């Protein structure tokens, strides 16, 4: 497993969601990072099945920030 490549990243959660994650981390005696990583591993296939924004809107135009 590629567990040796650690990178810092700021993630922003709504206050209530962060509180729930913290409570679960405390309950399991795990870090916030571990809980979020496990949640991603469980949810990633479902999330990958979501349509892309352009698929939903049918808008094939390029992002104006990229022009």
């Amino acid at each position: 497993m590629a567990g040796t490549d650690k990178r810092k990243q700021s993630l922003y959660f709504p206050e209530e969601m962060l509180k729930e994650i913290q409570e679960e981390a405390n309950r399991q005696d795990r870090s916030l990072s571990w809980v979020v990583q496990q949640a991603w591993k469980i949810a990633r296939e479902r999330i990958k099945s979501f349509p892309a924004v352009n698929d939903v809107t049918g808008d094939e135009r390029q992002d104006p920030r990229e022009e």
Side-chain angles (χ1 to χ4, degrees), residues 9-64:
Q9 179 67 50
S10 295
L11 301 173
Y12 299 92
F13 294 94
E15 186 175 346
E16 189 60 30
M17 186 182 295
L18 180 58
K19 183 179 177 214
E20 288 181 38
I21 297 168
Q22 288 173 322
E23 289 172 355
E24 189 60 25
N26 289 338
R27 186 185 76 79
Q28 294 191 29
D29 194 25
R30 299 283 191 165
S31 67
L32 287 172
S33 178
W34 186 90
V35 172
V36 172
Q37 288 175 46
Q38 298 312 304
W40 170 251
K41 289 176 185 178
I42 291 166
R44 71 174 146 204
E45 290 306 316
R46 183 172 177 193
I47 292 170
K48 286 180 181 181
S49 73
F50 295 171
V53 172
N54 287 343
D55 293 342
V56 173
T57 64
D59 187 2
E60 298 297 328
R61 291 178 289 162
Q62 188 175 13
D63 187 331

